Amino acid sequence: MSWAGFKKTVNRAGTTLLQKTGQIERTIDREFAEEEQRYKQFQKETTALQKESKAYLDAMRAMTAAQGRLAETLDTFYGAADKNSEGAMAGHAYKRAVDDLDAGIGRELDAPYRTTVLEPVGKMCSYFPTINEAISKREKKLLDYDAARSRMRKLIDKPSEDPTKLPKAQQENDEAKEVFEALNEQLISELPELLALRIPYFDPSFEAMIRMQVKFAEEGYQKLGAVQRYFADNVRDDYAAGQLDAQVEGVLQEMKELSICGA
């Protein structure tokens, strides 16, 4: 930081302190305060959207990876007992279906999701540092303006013996006011425009996300549904009739009665 920059920082810190003690009047701009509050809320929501959007894709990858490990275990489990049994064939078919779904994540969900969802959200979030810097700059220029106005008013209320001080203070006040008002008007004008664009900007991403989820769910239903043909007819009928729970309870009861299980 340069010496001039250091002096400005110190002077602004002093102005802030004097404002807190009521010795320097602070400019209150309610219109900007409202727009800034709306923007901060938008920034918070968009940042959360970016985080959750990425978490969704990570969760889908984790789910298909876990499903793949489960399918491999089941395939090995049934294959070790009898490779020609209906259970072994069902386990192998399930593994093939899950492998296809896992490959589909990268082909039909991962890349398109990044392009249509993560990248647009990330691009919007990339604007926030620049906007925040402009808001911070406005705050600094407001402090400069408040300080210059205070110096000018003191010289008006209590004239100095040096006749050049008041004109100089008036000039500094006018210059500080002009710089501040230019930044202030720009932000008051452009912040609402940014917020007004958020719905049309994110609408295509939201629609694309829903379409991709629907497609992935439909393919999952088709591929996993095809595994049912490897089950015996009575198994499918019992499942439809809600009788499988009773059968599982029966098997568990038989296991409990075995001496090895501590009966």
Side-chain angles (χ1 to χ4, degrees), residues 144-189:
D144 293 344
Y145 170 45
D146 286 345
R149 184 182 60 212
S150 176
R151 290 192 296 270
M152 182 188 69
R153 287 180 176 175
K154 286 179 180 178
L155 287 170
I156 292 174
D157 295 340
K158 188 178 180 180
S160 171
E161 294 180 358
D162 185 349
T164 64
K165 284 191 174 181
L166 180 57
K168 182 180 179 182
Q170 288 175 328
Q171 182 180 358
E172 290 176 350
N173 174 78
D174 293 343
E175 290 175 354
K177 180 180 180 181
E178 182 180 356
V179 172
F180 164 70
E181 288 185 344
L183 280 172
N184 194 52
E185 289 173 5
Q186 180 184 12
L187 287 168
I188 288 177
S189 170

Short mmCIF file of all heavy atoms in Angstrom, two decimals, residues 144-189:
data_model
loop_
_atom_site.label_atom_id
_atom_site.label_comp_id
_atom_site.label_asym_id
_atom_site.label_seq_id
_atom_site.Cartn_x
_atom_site.Cartn_y
_atom_site.Cartn_z
N ASP A 144 -15.37 9.58 2.56
CA ASP A 144 -14.63 10.77 2.10
C ASP A 144 -15.57 11.97 1.98
O ASP A 144 -15.21 13.09 2.37
CB ASP A 144 -13.97 10.49 0.75
CG ASP A 144 -12.86 9.44 0.85
OD1 ASP A 144 -12.40 9.17 1.97
OD2 ASP A 144 -12.47 8.90 -0.20
N TYR A 145 -16.76 11.73 1.44
CA TYR A 145 -17.72 12.81 1.25
C TYR A 145 -18.22 13.35 2.60
O TYR A 145 -18.28 14.57 2.82
CB TYR A 145 -18.89 12.31 0.41
CG TYR A 145 -20.07 13.26 0.33
CD1 TYR A 145 -19.89 14.63 0.11
CD2 TYR A 145 -21.37 12.78 0.50
CE1 TYR A 145 -20.96 15.50 0.04
CE2 TYR A 145 -22.46 13.65 0.43
CZ TYR A 145 -22.25 15.00 0.21
OH TYR A 145 -23.32 15.87 0.14
N ASP A 146 -18.53 12.45 3.51
CA ASP A 146 -18.99 12.87 4.84
C ASP A 146 -17.92 13.68 5.55
O ASP A 146 -18.22 14.69 6.22
CB ASP A 146 -19.37 11.65 5.68
CG ASP A 146 -20.70 11.03 5.24
OD1 ASP A 146 -21.44 11.70 4.51
OD2 ASP A 146 -20.97 9.89 5.65
N ALA A 147 -16.65 13.24 5.42
CA ALA A 147 -15.56 13.96 6.07
C ALA A 147 -15.37 15.34 5.45
O ALA A 147 -15.17 16.34 6.17
CB ALA A 147 -14.27 13.15 5.97
N ALA A 148 -15.42 15.42 4.11
CA ALA A 148 -15.24 16.71 3.43
C ALA A 148 -16.37 17.67 3.77
O ALA A 148 -16.15 18.87 3.97
CB ALA A 148 -15.16 16.47 1.92
N ARG A 149 -17.58 17.15 3.83
CA ARG A 149 -18.73 17.99 4.18
C ARG A 149 -18.61 18.52 5.61
O ARG A 149 -18.92 19.68 5.90
CB ARG A 149 -20.02 17.19 4.02
CG ARG A 149 -21.29 18.01 4.27
CD ARG A 149 -22.51 17.11 4.14
NE ARG A 149 -22.44 16.03 5.10
CZ ARG A 149 -22.94 14.81 4.88
NH1 ARG A 149 -23.53 14.53 3.74
NH2 ARG A 149 -22.86 13.88 5.82
N SER A 150 -18.12 17.66 6.50
CA SER A 150 -17.96 18.07 7.89
C SER A 150 -16.92 19.19 8.01
O SER A 150 -17.12 20.17 8.74
CB SER A 150 -17.53 16.87 8.75
OG SER A 150 -17.28 17.26 10.07
N ARG A 151 -15.79 19.05 7.29
CA ARG A 151 -14.76 20.09 7.33
C ARG A 151 -15.29 21.42 6.78
O ARG A 151 -15.01 22.49 7.33
CB ARG A 151 -13.53 19.64 6.53
CG ARG A 151 -12.75 18.52 7.18
CD ARG A 151 -11.41 18.33 6.51
NE ARG A 151 -11.55 17.92 5.11
CZ ARG A 151 -11.60 16.66 4.70
NH1 ARG A 151 -11.55 15.67 5.61
NH2 ARG A 151 -11.72 16.36 3.43
N MET A 152 -16.05 21.34 5.70
CA MET A 152 -16.61 22.55 5.10
C MET A 152 -17.58 23.24 6.06
O MET A 152 -17.54 24.46 6.23
CB MET A 152 -17.32 22.21 3.78
CG MET A 152 -17.90 23.42 3.05
SD MET A 152 -18.92 22.95 1.64
CE MET A 152 -20.33 22.19 2.46
N ARG A 153 -18.44 22.47 6.70
CA ARG A 153 -19.43 23.05 7.62
C ARG A 153 -18.76 23.69 8.83
O ARG A 153 -19.22 24.73 9.34
CB ARG A 153 -20.43 21.99 8.05
CG ARG A 153 -21.40 21.60 6.95
CD ARG A 153 -22.37 20.54 7.42
NE ARG A 153 -23.36 20.23 6.39
CZ ARG A 153 -24.27 19.25 6.49
NH1 ARG A 153 -24.30 18.51 7.60
NH2 ARG A 153 -25.13 19.04 5.52
N LYS A 154 -17.69 23.07 9.30
CA LYS A 154 -16.97 23.65 10.44
C LYS A 154 -16.39 25.01 10.08
O LYS A 154 -16.39 25.94 10.88
CB LYS A 154 -15.86 22.70 10.89
CG LYS A 154 -16.36 21.49 11.65
CD LYS A 154 -15.22 20.58 12.05
CE LYS A 154 -15.74 19.35 12.81
NZ LYS A 154 -14.62 18.43 13.18
N LEU A 155 -15.88 25.13 8.84
CA LEU A 155 -15.32 26.40 8.41
C LEU A 155 -16.41 27.44 8.17
O LEU A 155 -16.18 28.64 8.34
CB LEU A 155 -14.50 26.19 7.12
CG LEU A 155 -13.16 25.48 7.31
CD1 LEU A 155 -12.55 25.11 5.98
CD2 LEU A 155 -12.19 26.36 8.11
N ILE A 156 -17.61 26.99 7.78
CA ILE A 156 -18.72 27.92 7.62
C ILE A 156 -19.20 28.42 8.98
O ILE A 156 -19.47 29.61 9.18
CB ILE A 156 -19.88 27.25 6.85
CG1 ILE A 156 -19.46 26.97 5.39
CG2 ILE A 156 -21.14 28.11 6.88
CD1 ILE A 156 -20.48 26.18 4.60
N ASP A 157 -19.30 27.46 9.93
CA ASP A 157 -19.77 27.84 11.27
C ASP A 157 -18.73 28.66 12.03
O ASP A 157 -19.07 29.55 12.81
CB ASP A 157 -20.11 26.58 12.08
CG ASP A 157 -21.28 25.82 11.48
OD1 ASP A 157 -22.05 26.43 10.71
OD2 ASP A 157 -21.41 24.60 11.75
N LYS A 158 -17.47 28.33 11.80
CA LYS A 158 -16.39 29.03 12.49
C LYS A 158 -15.31 29.39 11.47
O LYS A 158 -14.35 28.65 11.27
CB LYS A 158 -15.81 28.15 13.59
CG LYS A 158 -14.82 28.87 14.49
CD LYS A 158 -14.33 27.94 15.59
CE LYS A 158 -13.34 28.67 16.51
NZ LYS A 158 -12.84 27.78 17.59
N PRO A 159 -15.48 30.53 10.79
CA PRO A 159 -14.56 30.91 9.70
C PRO A 159 -13.11 30.97 10.17
O PRO A 159 -12.81 31.36 11.30
CB PRO A 159 -15.06 32.30 9.29
CG PRO A 159 -16.49 32.32 9.72
CD PRO A 159 -16.54 31.52 10.99
N SER A 160 -12.24 30.60 9.29
CA SER A 160 -10.81 30.63 9.57
C SER A 160 -10.23 32.00 9.19
O SER A 160 -10.78 32.71 8.34
CB SER A 160 -10.09 29.53 8.78
OG SER A 160 -8.70 29.66 8.87
N GLU A 161 -9.12 32.33 9.81
CA GLU A 161 -8.45 33.57 9.46
C GLU A 161 -7.82 33.48 8.08
O GLU A 161 -7.55 34.49 7.44
CB GLU A 161 -7.37 33.89 10.52
CG GLU A 161 -7.94 34.19 11.89
CD GLU A 161 -6.85 34.49 12.90
OE1 GLU A 161 -5.65 34.41 12.50
OE2 GLU A 161 -7.18 34.78 14.06
N ASP A 162 -7.60 32.24 7.63
CA ASP A 162 -7.04 32.04 6.28
C ASP A 162 -8.19 32.00 5.28
O ASP A 162 -8.99 31.05 5.27
CB ASP A 162 -6.27 30.72 6.24
CG ASP A 162 -5.55 30.49 4.92
OD1 ASP A 162 -5.82 31.25 3.96
OD2 ASP A 162 -4.73 29.55 4.86
N PRO A 163 -8.32 32.99 4.42
CA PRO A 163 -9.46 33.07 3.49
C PRO A 163 -9.45 31.98 2.42
O PRO A 163 -10.46 31.77 1.74
CB PRO A 163 -9.30 34.45 2.86
CG PRO A 163 -7.84 34.75 2.97
CD PRO A 163 -7.40 34.13 4.25
N THR A 164 -8.36 31.26 2.26
CA THR A 164 -8.29 30.23 1.22
C THR A 164 -8.85 28.88 1.69
O THR A 164 -9.11 28.00 0.88
CB THR A 164 -6.84 30.02 0.76
OG1 THR A 164 -6.06 29.52 1.86
CG2 THR A 164 -6.24 31.34 0.26
N LYS A 165 -9.02 28.72 3.00
CA LYS A 165 -9.43 27.41 3.53
C LYS A 165 -10.86 27.03 3.14
O LYS A 165 -11.13 25.88 2.76
CB LYS A 165 -9.27 27.40 5.04
CG LYS A 165 -7.83 27.26 5.51
CD LYS A 165 -7.75 26.99 7.01
CE LYS A 165 -6.33 26.69 7.44
NZ LYS A 165 -6.22 26.39 8.88
N LEU A 166 -11.79 27.99 3.24
CA LEU A 166 -13.19 27.66 2.93
C LEU A 166 -13.39 27.31 1.46
O LEU A 166 -14.03 26.28 1.16
CB LEU A 166 -14.11 28.80 3.35
CG LEU A 166 -15.59 28.56 3.07
CD1 LEU A 166 -16.07 27.28 3.76
CD2 LEU A 166 -16.42 29.77 3.54
N PRO A 167 -12.87 28.11 0.50
CA PRO A 167 -13.01 27.73 -0.91
C PRO A 167 -12.41 26.36 -1.21
O PRO A 167 -12.97 25.58 -1.99
CB PRO A 167 -12.27 28.84 -1.65
CG PRO A 167 -12.33 30.00 -0.73
CD PRO A 167 -12.23 29.43 0.65
N LYS A 168 -11.26 26.08 -0.57
CA LYS A 168 -10.63 24.77 -0.77
C LYS A 168 -11.50 23.66 -0.21
O LYS A 168 -11.68 22.60 -0.86
CB LYS A 168 -9.26 24.76 -0.10
CG LYS A 168 -8.50 23.45 -0.30
CD LYS A 168 -7.15 23.49 0.39
CE LYS A 168 -6.42 22.16 0.20
NZ LYS A 168 -5.10 22.14 0.91
N ALA A 169 -12.06 23.89 0.98
CA ALA A 169 -12.94 22.89 1.59
C ALA A 169 -14.21 22.69 0.76
O ALA A 169 -14.70 21.56 0.62
CB ALA A 169 -13.31 23.31 3.01
N GLN A 170 -14.74 23.75 0.20
CA GLN A 170 -15.93 23.66 -0.65
C GLN A 170 -15.63 22.85 -1.91
O GLN A 170 -16.43 22.02 -2.35
CB GLN A 170 -16.43 25.05 -1.02
CG GLN A 170 -17.07 25.80 0.13
CD GLN A 170 -17.45 27.22 -0.22
OE1 GLN A 170 -16.79 27.88 -1.04
NE2 GLN A 170 -18.53 27.72 0.38
N GLN A 171 -14.45 23.08 -2.49
CA GLN A 171 -14.05 22.33 -3.68
C GLN A 171 -13.88 20.85 -3.37
O GLN A 171 -14.34 19.99 -4.13
CB GLN A 171 -12.75 22.90 -4.25
CG GLN A 171 -12.30 22.19 -5.52
CD GLN A 171 -11.00 22.76 -6.08
OE1 GLN A 171 -10.45 23.72 -5.55
NE2 GLN A 171 -10.52 22.16 -7.16
N GLU A 172 -13.23 20.55 -2.24
CA GLU A 172 -13.06 19.15 -1.84
C GLU A 172 -14.41 18.49 -1.58
O GLU A 172 -14.62 17.32 -1.93
CB GLU A 172 -12.19 19.09 -0.58
CG GLU A 172 -10.74 19.46 -0.81
CD GLU A 172 -9.94 19.47 0.46
OE1 GLU A 172 -10.56 19.37 1.57
OE2 GLU A 172 -8.70 19.57 0.41
N ASN A 173 -15.33 19.22 -0.98
CA ASN A 173 -16.68 18.70 -0.73
C ASN A 173 -17.40 18.40 -2.04
O ASN A 173 -18.01 17.33 -2.20
CB ASN A 173 -17.49 19.70 0.09
CG ASN A 173 -18.94 19.27 0.26
OD1 ASN A 173 -19.25 18.41 1.07
ND2 ASN A 173 -19.83 19.88 -0.52
N ASP A 174 -17.33 19.35 -2.98
CA ASP A 174 -18.01 19.16 -4.27
C ASP A 174 -17.44 17.98 -5.04
O ASP A 174 -18.18 17.20 -5.65
CB ASP A 174 -17.91 20.45 -5.11
CG ASP A 174 -18.69 21.60 -4.49
OD1 ASP A 174 -19.54 21.33 -3.62
OD2 ASP A 174 -18.43 22.75 -4.88
N GLU A 175 -16.11 17.85 -5.02
CA GLU A 175 -15.47 16.75 -5.74
C GLU A 175 -15.82 15.40 -5.10
O GLU A 175 -16.12 14.42 -5.80
CB GLU A 175 -13.95 16.95 -5.75
CG GLU A 175 -13.50 18.11 -6.63
CD GLU A 175 -12.01 18.37 -6.52
OE1 GLU A 175 -11.36 17.71 -5.67
OE2 GLU A 175 -11.49 19.21 -7.28
N ALA A 176 -15.77 15.34 -3.77
CA ALA A 176 -16.10 14.10 -3.06
C ALA A 176 -17.57 13.72 -3.29
O ALA A 176 -17.90 12.54 -3.48
CB ALA A 176 -15.82 14.25 -1.58
N LYS A 177 -18.44 14.73 -3.29
CA LYS A 177 -19.86 14.49 -3.52
C LYS A 177 -20.10 13.95 -4.93
O LYS A 177 -20.89 13.01 -5.13
CB LYS A 177 -20.64 15.78 -3.31
CG LYS A 177 -22.14 15.62 -3.52
CD LYS A 177 -22.86 16.96 -3.31
CE LYS A 177 -24.37 16.80 -3.53
NZ LYS A 177 -25.08 18.09 -3.35
N GLU A 178 -19.42 14.53 -5.89
CA GLU A 178 -19.60 14.11 -7.29
C GLU A 178 -19.16 12.66 -7.49
O GLU A 178 -19.86 11.87 -8.14
CB GLU A 178 -18.79 15.03 -8.20
CG GLU A 178 -18.96 14.70 -9.69
CD GLU A 178 -18.16 15.64 -10.58
OE1 GLU A 178 -17.53 16.58 -10.05
OE2 GLU A 178 -18.15 15.42 -11.80
N VAL A 179 -18.01 12.31 -6.92
CA VAL A 179 -17.50 10.93 -7.05
C VAL A 179 -18.45 9.95 -6.37
O VAL A 179 -18.79 8.89 -6.93
CB VAL A 179 -16.09 10.82 -6.44
CG1 VAL A 179 -15.65 9.36 -6.39
CG2 VAL A 179 -15.10 11.65 -7.24
N PHE A 180 -18.88 10.28 -5.15
CA PHE A 180 -19.78 9.39 -4.42
C PHE A 180 -21.11 9.21 -5.15
O PHE A 180 -21.59 8.08 -5.31
CB PHE A 180 -20.04 9.92 -3.01
CG PHE A 180 -21.24 9.29 -2.35
CD1 PHE A 180 -21.20 7.97 -1.96
CD2 PHE A 180 -22.42 10.01 -2.18
CE1 PHE A 180 -22.31 7.37 -1.38
CE2 PHE A 180 -23.53 9.42 -1.60
CZ PHE A 180 -23.48 8.10 -1.19
N GLU A 181 -21.71 10.30 -5.58
CA GLU A 181 -23.04 10.22 -6.22
C GLU A 181 -22.98 9.45 -7.52
O GLU A 181 -23.95 8.76 -7.87
CB GLU A 181 -23.60 11.62 -6.45
CG GLU A 181 -24.04 12.30 -5.14
CD GLU A 181 -24.71 13.63 -5.38
OE1 GLU A 181 -24.56 14.19 -6.50
OE2 GLU A 181 -25.37 14.14 -4.45
N ALA A 182 -21.87 9.54 -8.25
CA ALA A 182 -21.74 8.78 -9.49
C ALA A 182 -21.77 7.28 -9.21
O ALA A 182 -22.48 6.51 -9.88
CB ALA A 182 -20.46 9.17 -10.21
N LEU A 183 -20.98 6.85 -8.20
CA LEU A 183 -20.97 5.44 -7.82
C LEU A 183 -22.31 5.00 -7.25
O LEU A 183 -22.81 3.91 -7.57
CB LEU A 183 -19.87 5.20 -6.78
CG LEU A 183 -18.44 5.05 -7.29
CD1 LEU A 183 -17.47 5.02 -6.13
CD2 LEU A 183 -18.29 3.80 -8.13
N ASN A 184 -22.88 5.85 -6.42
CA ASN A 184 -24.15 5.52 -5.77
C ASN A 184 -25.27 5.35 -6.80
O ASN A 184 -26.03 4.37 -6.74
CB ASN A 184 -24.51 6.64 -4.79
CG ASN A 184 -25.61 6.24 -3.84
OD1 ASN A 184 -25.54 5.21 -3.19
ND2 ASN A 184 -26.66 7.05 -3.75
N GLU A 185 -25.36 6.27 -7.74
CA GLU A 185 -26.40 6.19 -8.77
C GLU A 185 -26.22 4.97 -9.66
O GLU A 185 -27.20 4.33 -10.06
CB GLU A 185 -26.39 7.47 -9.60
CG GLU A 185 -26.91 8.70 -8.85
CD GLU A 185 -26.73 9.97 -9.65
OE1 GLU A 185 -26.29 9.88 -10.82
OE2 GLU A 185 -27.00 11.06 -9.10
N GLN A 186 -24.97 4.64 -9.96
CA GLN A 186 -24.70 3.46 -10.78
C GLN A 186 -25.19 2.19 -10.09
O GLN A 186 -25.85 1.34 -10.70
CB GLN A 186 -23.21 3.35 -11.08
CG GLN A 186 -22.86 2.13 -11.94
CD GLN A 186 -21.36 1.98 -12.14
OE1 GLN A 186 -20.56 2.65 -11.48
NE2 GLN A 186 -20.96 1.12 -13.05
N LEU A 187 -24.87 2.06 -8.80
CA LEU A 187 -25.27 0.87 -8.06
C LEU A 187 -26.78 0.81 -7.86
O LEU A 187 -27.39 -0.26 -8.00
CB LEU A 187 -24.56 0.83 -6.70
CG LEU A 187 -23.06 0.49 -6.76
CD1 LEU A 187 -22.39 0.75 -5.43
CD2 LEU A 187 -22.86 -0.96 -7.17
N ILE A 188 -27.40 1.93 -7.54
CA ILE A 188 -28.86 1.95 -7.34
C ILE A 188 -29.57 1.59 -8.64
O ILE A 188 -30.65 0.97 -8.63
CB ILE A 188 -29.31 3.34 -6.84
CG1 ILE A 188 -28.87 3.53 -5.38
CG2 ILE A 188 -30.82 3.50 -6.95
CD1 ILE A 188 -29.20 4.89 -4.82
N SER A 189 -28.96 1.94 -9.77
CA SER A 189 -29.56 1.64 -11.07
C SER A 189 -29.32 0.20 -11.50
O SER A 189 -30.24 -0.46 -12.01
CB SER A 189 -28.99 2.60 -12.12
OG SER A 189 -29.37 2.21 -13.42
#
